[in-house]
Each structure stands twice: as structure tokens, then as C-alpha cells.
Amino acid sequence: MNTPTPVLRLENIVKTFPGVRALDGVSLSVLPGEVHALMGENGAGKSTLMKVLGGIHQPDEGQVIVNERPVVMNGPLEAKALGIVFIHQELSLAEELSVAENVYLGELPTKGFGRVDWHELYQKTDAILAKLKVGFDAKTLVKDLSIANQQMVEIARALTVEAKVVIFDEPTASLTDAEKRVLFDVISDLQANDVGVVYISHRMEEIFKITDRISVLRDGQYQGSVATKDTDEEGVTQMMIGRKLDLTRKESNHELGKIALEVRNLSSGKAFNDVSFQVRSGEVVGFYGLVGAGRTEIAETLFGLRNKSSGEILLNGEVIDVKSPRDAIEKGISLVPEDRKGQGLVLGMNCRDNMTLPQVDDITAGPFVAEGAEIAIFDQYRDSLDIRTPGWKQDVGNLSGGNQQKIVIAKWLSMKPNVLIVDEPTRGIDVGSKSEIHKLLRKLASKGLAVIVISSEMPEVMHVSDRIVAMYSGRVTRTFECGEVTEDNLVQAISGVSKLA
Amino acid sequence: MLRLSKDEAIRFLGKQGILAAFVIFMLVFALAEAKFISADNVLSVIRSSAIIGVMALGVTFVVVSGNLDLSIGSMMSFSTIVVLDLHDKIGPVLAILAMFSLTLLLGALIGFLVGYLRLNSLIVTLGMLSAIHGLTLTYSGGKNMDISDKSSWFSFFGQDSVMGIPVPILIFALLAALLGIILSKTPFGRKIYAVGGNGTAATFSGISRSKTVFFCYLISSFCVATAGLIQASRSLGSQNTVGQGLELEVLAAVILGGASLLGGAGTIAKTVVGVLMLGFIQNGLLLMGLQFYVQFVVTWVIIILAVWLDIAGKRGKLWSPLA
């Protein structure tokens, strides 16, 4: 086969962190003018690989080869100098500065005495913006732009250098359809100029629309590359998870109890609108949708962190009013939040203190915290959830993601809730712990708990849920009973294409 | 030979550096000046540290909750002026009650602004430093306050001893024990660590951040009033500026003890150690014949050193471009 010289080649990259082999012999090559998809589940090693490419991590073994020359990169600036440019999912812009200043941040054009050459700056920036066909100019302040337009500024930033490889990390997460089309135009322009494009995304539909080849990582290992036209979604999924997806879930083999939680026509400002659903005790109800569909906001409303603007919440048939997390906790509603480190745990505190935090007022002996009783609670849940830690004195920040998540789950189970809401239960957790947590959620339901699982991972939500509520843009688009859900109709329901039921 | 890598050495410095420096300092001074470790001198250092110490106990609560209190110096001046003025007018008991009530009211105001309105504690308490100073001067008309009856039992808190131990030291010790137990053993104490360590996670666990912070400031103002009582009782007369600059000394002692300015870490026992360290360092410098005013410079150097070693120990590097 007559293939052109790759602009970027990775050979057998190995990167280990204490206790984890994050990348285990990954090879990859990107051809000029190619759009190359990089896929893999969360924790598969994509972000570590990107950090190696960006010069943030140095590989333990293996080589990065740019234009057939092995290179060593000691930092993002060196990577950029080699023509490797990143468009990050998380924006890293200075909001108070203008678009132009952001685009040329760190390399503003100057004239005599080190003064900024504003004229040249605005001219050069406007030239790039014209290529992107955006509706704002170089002098606009970044803080006045929508998130999507801020993303465009990131892209403009990438176009200031003679890029050889441009890496897009989930670029469409916050874009509208029209904005996506502009982005895809930009990508085909890059392609036409023989730039290699690496495209990281979970969205199959985009992958099959714009990419030429797909490479897959699983557990830090390279699973291979295929031409996009030679495979389909099922094939890629199989490569990503290492087995065929069992999309049909077996009927629950335990009796469902009565309705534990019912939500009627609940709305909260612009976040979500007219949402109704029921959760029976013994049932796992999954909430699936894109980021921003309003799922987390529903959880926050149920937990008293956000005010409802209309609608009713019923717990065991009674209308309840939840004004604060304390209210929710006292009524038996618990929330395992999506941001484990930011919202779930006090990282500088030990395991035991984290676990008993919501009930510290109640486990007392006289005026003091009953530490013996706390340790008993810790021991009980360490054993029943199989939490691996040297002991309760361990700072929770030292545990692995999976064990940290189990501490958060234990924290709420020990409150003996009626309803357990779990938001993104396995985000950033390795595959082994993932399936443990899935089993745990199923087990809790089988013991009669009403469980709500919010997840952005389709296999996860399909695997753990008895029913699935699909959301799009703040509304429930469809509720799937067990057995009627397929990958296709689920994707349709969350992308707003299916008709409202 | 004990061998340490550079990283380990930095981590050790970060954790124990201050203590190590203090031990070396004490040894050098003890060798240079025998008087330094005489029982008399040690007792006098502790005694003169009591006022700073009592305030440092309260500030520890505030700092562990993730906030600052820079208003304590001028708040102490205020409480001192109030109690001395009222002593002759309404008698010592009512004067003391009035002083505690008014000081707690100021603490409640700060607690409300920082806890419930979520205003930045640095700005609020820096502003209060100035505002309370103005309040004090308005109250006193700028004049110094004196107690006319110098034989009043009011002098007990600052001048007497019980079983050979000066009362200020007793008050410091008792208050330290009480607040130490509250911070380390009660649900309220646990909540302070949670709020200071990660306020969002505390909220997600059903803990009221506002209420917790509010009570920390209330405790801090109670300690300030107690310190003001000792001060007033010791001198039986006072200037409007008696507490000026003490906020930095107190903060130095608290940080020296190892409380993190980021919140979530620190204990009363460590603060007591920090207070004593500061006291002995200042005393040592005086014994060496340095001018009294040098201590202001030294206090600042100590704060900088303590803060630097704290973050260097956490990030494992003496300097880093990130964070």
C-alpha cells in the first residue's frame, strides 16, 4: 500500500503512575490530511495519551515521532512549537481580555519599547476569525461570548501557528448543530491543508460522519485502528469494551415495591421543565441525556440545592417540600454527587469522618462525637462494600477513585435512605471498579431501595437501569420500559430527533 | 546515616521545619544566655503570651473554617476601653457583662457578613479593623481610660495568682482545654473542619456552612473579650490603641502552629505551641539586647517563612509555577 509519511507517530508508549499502568504500549499514526478518531471509555487512557502528546507527561518507554523525527517534549510550549496543537474541552481563556489578546496570549505582536502592536494584533486575529466565519470580532471581550463562541476562540488560537497536528478533545460537547457545521468545515479546511486531525469524541454519529480512521484504547492498551468505512457502531463499541454489548437487560428477579418517589410536572427555571416520573422501591431508574440536558439539576432540586419553580415532589405518596439538603436528608433522600472530589468528599479528612459527616450530629455520646460508633459504621460499610483502605485513619484523598466513590456511597447508605440518587456513579473510575459499583447499585435495589442513576455513558445506563428516562434540553423526551430500549432509539430520544411522546 | 532525597527533605521541612528551627533557636539561646530557660523567665514568657494566646484560640476556629479575622486587635482595644469606662460607672460585674455582650455583638456582625452573606472575610475583617477603631475612639472621645479605684477586685484577672500560677495563664489554659475539646471532639468541631476543608462537600452533606462560620466568629469574639479582660485588669487603664497590630502576631502564632490558611487543618494544641514559640522567640530577641521594635519585623519574617514552608511541603517543591 502506498501510504504517505505520517505527520505524527507514536510507538509503544508506556506511562505508569503509582499503582496504575495508564498507557501500556500504545501505538498510533496520524497521516497528513486525515481525520483520525481516538476512542475509548473514560479511564481508557485517552487523556493520559493526550498529555504525553502535549508534553505534560513524558513517556516511560516508547517514542513520539513528528515528521519521522523522534522528539522529546518538555512542556506544552515545546509541543506547540513542533506544530502539535490542542483544542481542549475545558476552556482555558482569560475572560476579561479581548478575543485577540486570548488568541495571541503569550505571543502578542510588539513594536518599539515592547509595546503591543494593537493594529497588527487585531488585523491578524480578524483574518483568522474570518476563516472561521464567526459572528464576533477581535475586540470582543471573551466574557461576552457564548460558550460555543468561546470554543471558537480556542480553535482560532490553534490556527495561529503552522499546525501539523490538531487535536480536538470533545469539541462539540457544548455546540449547537449550526456551530457544529462550522466546526466540521474548519476541520475539512485543515484536512485540505494536509494537517493531521485527531478527533476525540464519544459521539458515534460525528465519528462516522467526519473521520477517516478510528483507533481505540481500552484499559491503557491499544486495541487497533480501523478505517471508518470498514466498521460500524457495534464494531467500535465492541473494541471499546472488549465484548459484545448485552443491550437487553433481564427483568428484575425481585418484586418491585410501591412508588417511593414521584415527581409531577416539576420545573426549575430554565434548567428543566415539566418533568414527571416515578421510582418504585426496588427499582433502578436511569436518567440519560447529553451534558446540559437538565439531569443533574433535577437531582439538585430533589436534594434541596436548587429551588423548584413549579410542580410537586411526592415521597411515599406524600407531597414534600425540600428546602435544603438537611431537609432532603431528614426525609430520606440521598445524593451521591457527580463531582466526587469537589462535592462528595472532604479530601483532607480521613475515611471515617467523611463517611459519617451527614450524621455527625446524631452519633453522639453526651456532647461528644461517639468515635467508637463511627468506627463501627466505617467497619460495617468497609466490609459490605469491600472498600480497600489501610484503615479509617487514611486520608480519603489517598484512595483510588473507585474506593473514594464507595466511601461516598457508604456515607449515604449509612443514612438508611428511601431514595438514593447517584449522579455519574463511575466517572473517572477504572473498569474493574466500575462493574463492582454497577453490581452494588443493582444489589441495593434488590434490597428494596429506590435508586436513580444519572449517567452520560450509554452502556452504563442500559446495564444498570430497570427503566430509562431520556432527556433532551430540559425535557423528558421518552421513558423506556425494560426491554424496549435499543441504542438507536435511546440516541434518538436524547438528541431531540424523536417526536415527543 | 539517615539519607533523605531532596523531595523527602522538602516534605519534612514543610511538616516539621518550623519545629526544627524552633528547637535549634531554643538551644542556641539557652547556651548563649542561661537566664533564658530559668523558671522565672519561662513563666513570664507564658504569662505575657496569654493575651495573644487567648485570641489565637478563637482565631484558630476561624482559620480552620477557611476564613481570616484581622479585626481582633481593634476589637480588643474596644472591649478594654468599654470595660474600663463602665467599671467606675456601673461596677465591675455589669461592666464585664456589657463588655462581653458588645464584643459578641461585633463578632455576630462579622459572622453574619462572612457566614450568611458570604462576603470575603479578608475584606470584611480588614474593614472592621478600621471601623471598630473608629467606634472605640468615638466612644472614648480619644481619651485614655483609667479605673479610679486601683484596689478593685477587678485586678484579679490580670494581676493575681492562684496556687502560685498567674491567673492569665490559668484562663489561657482553661480556655485552651475547653475550646480544644470543642474543636476536636464535638459534632460542631467536626463540621468546622468539613466546612474549611471543602465547603461544597459540607453543603452536600447537609451541613450549614453559614451557621458554622457564624459560630466560629462568635467564638473568636468571645476570646477577644476574654483577652481584653486580662489586658484591662492587668493595667487598670488603657489607651485606645492597646490591641493595635496584635492581629498579625496572633495570625503568626496560629500559622506557626500549623493551621492552614486554606482552611480545614489546625488544632488548638498546635496553636498553643505556636503561641509559645512566638513568645520565646520575641523574649529571646529582647534578652539578646535587640530593640523591642525589631519583633514586628521578626513576626512578619516568621509568617512568611511559615506560609512558605507550608505550601512547599504540600507541593513537594520550594517553588512551582503552578498553584
Side-chain angles (χ1 to χ4, degrees), chain B:
Chain B
M1 266 295 280
L2 180 67
R3 292 186 54 157
L4 286 173
S5 76
K6 195 177 152 218
D7 279 9
E8 285 170 313
I10 291 170
R11 277 186 208 292
F12 174 78
L13 267 184
K15 270 194 172 154
Q16 310 296 348
I18 296 285
L19 199 62
F22 180 64
V23 168
I24 293 168
F25 176 91
M26 290 294 277
L27 284 175
V28 170
F29 272 70
L31 289 175
E33 178 64 69
K35 215 172 107 192
F36 186 60
I37 46 166
S38 69
D40 265 3
N41 191 53
V42 168
L43 207 60
S44 118
V45 168
I46 301 177
R47 183 186 163 138
S48 59
S49 299
I51 289 178
I52 295 283
V54 165
M55 291 199 282
L57 300 176
V59 169
T60 303
F61 276 68
V62 172
V63 168
V64 171
S65 82
N67 294 293
L68 281 176
D69 193 346
L70 297 180
S71 67
I72 52 167
S74 77
M75 204 189 278
M76 190 193 104
S77 304
F78 172 80
S79 63
T80 310
I81 291 293
V82 168
V83 76
L84 289 171
D85 176 55
L86 294 181
H87 179 275
D88 287 359
K89 294 178 182 163
I90 58 175
V93 175
L94 287 178
I96 292 172
L97 275 178
M99 163 218 203
F100 269 87
S101 316
L102 288 173
T103 312
L104 283 171
L105 212 59
L106 291 174
L109 175 62
I110 298 176
F112 174 76
L113 294 174
V114 178
Y116 287 90
L117 297 190
R118 297 276 170 87
L119 305 183
N120 180 294
S121 66
L122 179 74
I123 301 301
V124 168
T125 60
L126 195 58
M128 283 303 265
L129 184 157
S130 167
I132 296 174
H133 185 53
L135 195 64
T136 311
L137 288 171
T138 311
Y139 182 91
S140 68
K143 292 193 299 282
N144 294 344
M145 291 290 171
D146 275 304
I147 289 179
S148 52
D149 175 13
K150 297 290 182 196
S151 63
S152 164
W153 61 264
F154 183 73
S155 65
F156 169 79
F157 306 104
Q159 299 179 15
D160 286 4
S161 292
V162 173
M163 294 183 296
I165 304 170
V167 175
I169 295 183
L170 277 179
I171 294 177
F172 179 35
L174 285 176
L175 206 53
L178 177 70
L179 293 178
I181 287 172
I182 290 180
L183 189 57
S184 65
K185 299 284 176 202
T186 64
F188 172 59
R190 185 73 62 76
K191 289 185 207 168
I192 298 174
Y193 283 103
V195 165
N198 184 348
T200 309
T203 305
F204 272 79
S205 295
I207 292 171
S208 166
R209 221 163 143 175
S210 310
K211 199 165 131 190
T212 308
V213 169
F214 177 83
F215 277 106
C216 286
Y217 277 103
L218 217 52
I219 287 174
S220 180
S221 63
F222 177 83
C223 290
V224 169
T226 309
L229 180 66
I230 298 172
Q231 171 66 38
S233 163
R234 188 162 76 181
S235 56
L236 297 184
S238 176
Q239 299 163 354
N240 293 290
T241 53
V242 63
Q244 199 171 51
L246 292 189
E247 55 279 335
L248 276 193
E249 277 193 60
V250 167
L251 200 59
V254 171
I255 297 171
L256 210 49
S260 165
L261 283 183
L262 300 174
T267 66
I268 289 295
K270 284 178 173 175
T271 290
V272 170
V273 172
V275 167
L276 296 180
M277 276 191 204
L278 195 69
F280 278 108
I281 290 169
Q282 289 175 348
N283 174 258
L285 296 173
L286 280 178
L287 286 184
M288 256 169 59
L290 287 174
Q291 272 201 52
F292 173 74
Y293 305 108
V294 172
Q295 68 167 335
F296 297 125
V297 180
V298 172
T299 305
W300 177 80
V301 172
I302 288 169
I303 293 182
I304 299 300
L305 201 66
V307 171
W308 184 35
L309 286 174
D310 181 41
I311 43 178
K314 277 192 188 116
R315 65 193 173 203
K317 282 181 193 161
L318 291 178
W319 183 84
S320 150
L322 295 169

Side-chain angles (χ1 to χ4, degrees), chain A residues 249-254 442 466 482-483:
Chain A
R249 257 192 43 74
K250 289 179 286 285
E251 291 278 348
S252 296
N253 47 12
H254 60 274
R442 292 301 316 165
D466 295 308
C482 183

Side-chain angles (χ1 to χ4, degrees), chain A residues 347-354 378 388-399 407:
Chain A
L347 292 180
M349 254 187 178
N350 66 41
C351 295
R352 180 199 70 182
D353 293 3
N354 265 291
F378 171 82
R388 298 202 197 114
T389 161
W392 64 263
K393 286 182 183 159
Q394 189 72 17
D395 270 3
V396 86
N398 294 336
L399 303 189
I407 297 266

